[in-house]
Amino acid sequence: MNFSIYMTGLMMGLSLIVAIGAQNAFVLRQGLRNEHVFAVCLACALSDAALIVLGVTSFRQISALLPWLDPVMRYAGAAFLIWYGAKSLYSALRSSAVLAAGEAKSSSFRETLAMCLALTWLNPHVYLDTVALLGTISTRFPGHEVSFAAGAMTGSFLFFFSLGFGARWLRPIFAKPSSWRILETLIALTMWMIATKLLSGV
């Protein structure tokens, strides 16, 4: 294990994942609601780890064998994010009692996990960051790809668990229904912005 390359992977992984996106917004909301937090964080981190390994070991072969995958994932992901954004905006417009932190309608474990995995695996930006970008960067460290991948995966675990369990410090703020409305609206706008970028090929 090369420690300097491990740290490069760690910092690179954190820098790519820290921006608020569809997946991160979902983890934040689950943390605020204290609902299936560990499972959501673990699912996100393990998904990232799997994609990082895929990128480090197979990126070149995948891009050569499946040239059609990019447009398919882009349009499917955009459609899903548009739908999820509309769902969040609808939540923002609902009654204050439903939006209150303690009274928010809970989702089953299966529903929550399915939504978490959909936000992860149906978002082409996740593949761009983990498979394409990290896979490409790892080629700069021939013979030390394992160290780089381990660092990037550590960054994912640190980030998701910090976001999910750290959200509890924000709960007093989100005890107000207006704060939930703002969060849901911001989530909707984030989803639609990502979808627009996907459709425009950015």
Side-chain angles (χ1 to χ4, degrees):
M1 178 71 71
N2 186 302
F3 185 72
S4 64
I5 295 176
Y6 171 86
M7 290 304 297
T8 300
L10 174 64
M11 298 311 296
M12 200 68 216
L14 284 173
S15 66
L16 288 175
I17 204 172
V18 74
I20 287 295
Q23 189 185 42
N24 298 352
F26 182 78
V27 174
L28 175 62
R29 183 163 60 181
Q30 291 304 119
L32 288 168
R33 295 174 66 172
N34 195 27
E35 189 176 86
H36 312 303
V37 182
F38 180 81
V40 166
C41 293
L42 185 62
C44 289
L46 288 177
S47 294
D48 253 23
L51 289 167
I52 289 167
V53 170
L54 184 65
V56 170
T57 60
S58 311
F59 170 66
R60 290 177 178 172
Q61 295 91 323
I62 292 171
S63 59
L65 287 174
L66 305 174
W68 51 265
L69 188 61
D70 176 67
V72 169
M73 289 303 300
R74 191 185 325 137
Y75 290 115
F80 175 77
L81 292 173
I82 290 169
W83 169 80
Y84 191 84
K87 184 172 177 286
S88 293
L89 188 61
Y90 173 74
S91 296
L93 299 174
R94 288 161 67 186
S95 67
S96 59
V98 175
L99 287 171
E103 301 174 16
K105 181 184 176 182
S106 61
S107 300
S108 70
F109 175 79
R110 182 177 295 181
E111 290 172 340
T112 301
L113 190 60
M115 183 61 70
C116 175
L117 293 175
L119 285 169
T120 300
W121 292 91
L122 293 180
N123 184 359
H125 276 190
V126 172
Y127 295 90
L128 177 63
D129 289 346
T130 55
V131 179
L133 193 52
L134 289 178
T136 301
I137 294 171
S138 70
T139 61
R140 293 167 47 196
F141 309 107
H144 298 287
E145 292 90 350
V146 172
S147 297
F148 180 84
M153 287 187 281
T154 301
S156 291
F157 275 86
L158 285 174
F159 176 80
F160 284 120
F161 278 91
S162 296
L163 180 63
F165 286 97
R168 64 193 180 98
W169 300 106
L170 299 174
R171 279 182 206 152
I173 297 173
F174 285 90
K176 299 178 181 179
S178 59
S179 297
W180 280 98
R181 285 199 182 94
I182 292 170
L183 176 65
E184 295 284 9
T185 301
L186 288 175
I187 289 173
L189 293 175
T190 299
M191 303 300 171
W192 290 341
M193 187 166 54
I194 296 171
T196 300
K197 289 181 178 180
L198 290 176
L199 292 173
S200 63
V202 176

